[in-house]
Amino acid sequence: MENKEKKKEVKIDELCAYCKELIGKGRYTPPHKNLVQTNFKEVKSQFGNVDEYYYKCNACPKTWLHETGSYGEGWI
């Protein structure tokens, strides 16, 4: 049986003020000054492209997915 690592869920009170401001923001909102990009993935589909940028905050434990492009959801 595999030992699967559980992903820690970050609570809202653990977020820095900058990350709290990103909650619910769209694809045109830029990353804040404490975010460091950790990965990038381009997703192509017949409906439209989505660029996925992955970030880690240096001020709090939050990791983010920022979807941009014609079908991007914004900050997740």
Side-chain angles (χ1 to χ4, degrees):
M1 193 154 118
E2 276 185 52
N3 182 11
K4 294 185 180 181
E5 186 177 320
K6 290 184 180 180
K7 192 172 185 178
K8 183 185 177 224
E9 190 172 314
V10 178
K11 296 179 182 173
I12 200 147
D13 60 342
E14 295 177 302
L15 299 179
C16 69
Y18 294 113
C19 282
K20 286 179 183 176
E21 289 180 14
L22 282 181
I23 296 172
K25 296 295 182 183
R27 63 182 178 230
Y28 299 113
T29 303
H32 64 71
K33 66 181 181 179
N34 291 322
L35 290 180
V36 176
Q37 186 177 335
T38 59
N39 202 0
F40 169 78
K41 181 179 171 185
E42 186 177 10
V43 180
K44 295 183 180 187
S45 77
Q46 66 185 23
F47 303 108
N49 295 340
V50 175
D51 293 329
E52 295 181 349
Y53 297 88
Y54 296 85
Y55 292 92
K56 167 74 178 107
C57 183
N58 281 333
C60 71
K62 181 67 177 156
T63 57
W64 289 97
L65 166 59
H66 186 209
E67 291 184 344
T68 62
S70 58
Y71 273 83
E73 295 284 327
W75 290 95
I76 302 170

